Amino acid sequence: MPQLARRDVRNLLLGPGASAGVKKLAAGALARLAINADNQATIAAAGAIPPLVQLLGARSPSDVQKHAAAVLVILAQKADKVAMVAAGAIPPLVLLLRPGADDLPKEFAARVLARLGHNNTKNRDAIAAAGASAGVDVLEKMERLSI
C-alpha cells in the first residue's frame, strides 16, 4: 500500500470539499484496505483514526458512520485502542447504540466498544459512564458480543 499522508487522509475524510458520498467512499476504501493486517499500521500512522472518529458524529449520514465504524472495528483488534480512546471515540460510539439508530452502525459500534473495554477496566468505566449519560446500557450490549 503506498504511503498515506496525514493531510491526504484528513482531506478525504473531512476536507471542505468532501461530500457525504466522498466520505463514504473514502471510509469504505479504508475499511477494505484495513482487512490486510499490513495496511492497518499504515492507516493508523496516516492519522486516520481521529477523522474516522469525527465521522461517527450525528452530522454524518448513517452510511458514512457505518463505514467509519467498520474501519475502527478492524483497527481495534490490534494496538490502535489507545489512539481511538485518545481521539474521543467512546462518546460517539455510545451514541450510535441509541434506540432508533440504524442496525449496522449500531452493531459495529458495539463491537468497537467491546474491543476497547476488553481487559481494560479504565475503558470499561469510561464506556459505562458515557452510556449512563446517554441512557444506553452499553455494557449489556457489549456482553452479548464475542470478541
Side-chain angles (χ1 to χ4, degrees), residues 2-138:
Q3 281 302 108
L4 292 173
R6 284 183 185 269
R7 71 178 187 290
D8 294 336
V9 170
R10 185 160 191 77
N11 285 339
L12 277 173
L13 295 173
L14 298 174
S19 67
V22 168
K23 292 175 184 181
K24 174 185 167 187
L25 291 173
L30 286 175
R32 286 186 291 285
L33 289 168
I35 292 170
N36 180 317
D38 294 335
N39 293 337
Q40 293 171 15
T42 302
I43 291 168
I49 292 173
L52 288 166
V53 168
Q54 284 188 271
L55 292 179
L56 298 173
R59 287 189 249 163
S60 293
S62 177
D63 56 347
V64 173
Q65 292 172 331
K66 172 185 73 177
H67 288 294
V71 179
L72 295 176
V73 167
I74 296 166
L75 296 179
Q77 295 176 52
K78 303 283 183 199
D80 296 299
K81 297 173 189 174
V82 173
M84 285 180 209
V85 173
I90 292 174
L93 287 166
V94 167
L95 290 176
L96 287 176
L97 298 178
R98 289 184 319 248
D102 288 347
D103 288 340
L104 202 49
K106 186 184 293 189
E107 179 183 335
F108 289 154
R111 289 191 181 282
V112 175
L113 289 168
R115 289 178 178 161
L116 292 177
H118 185 69
N119 292 331
N120 189 314
T121 304
K122 183 179 175 184
N123 285 353
R124 284 181 69 82
D125 290 348
I127 291 165
S133 69
V136 178
D137 186 358
V138 179

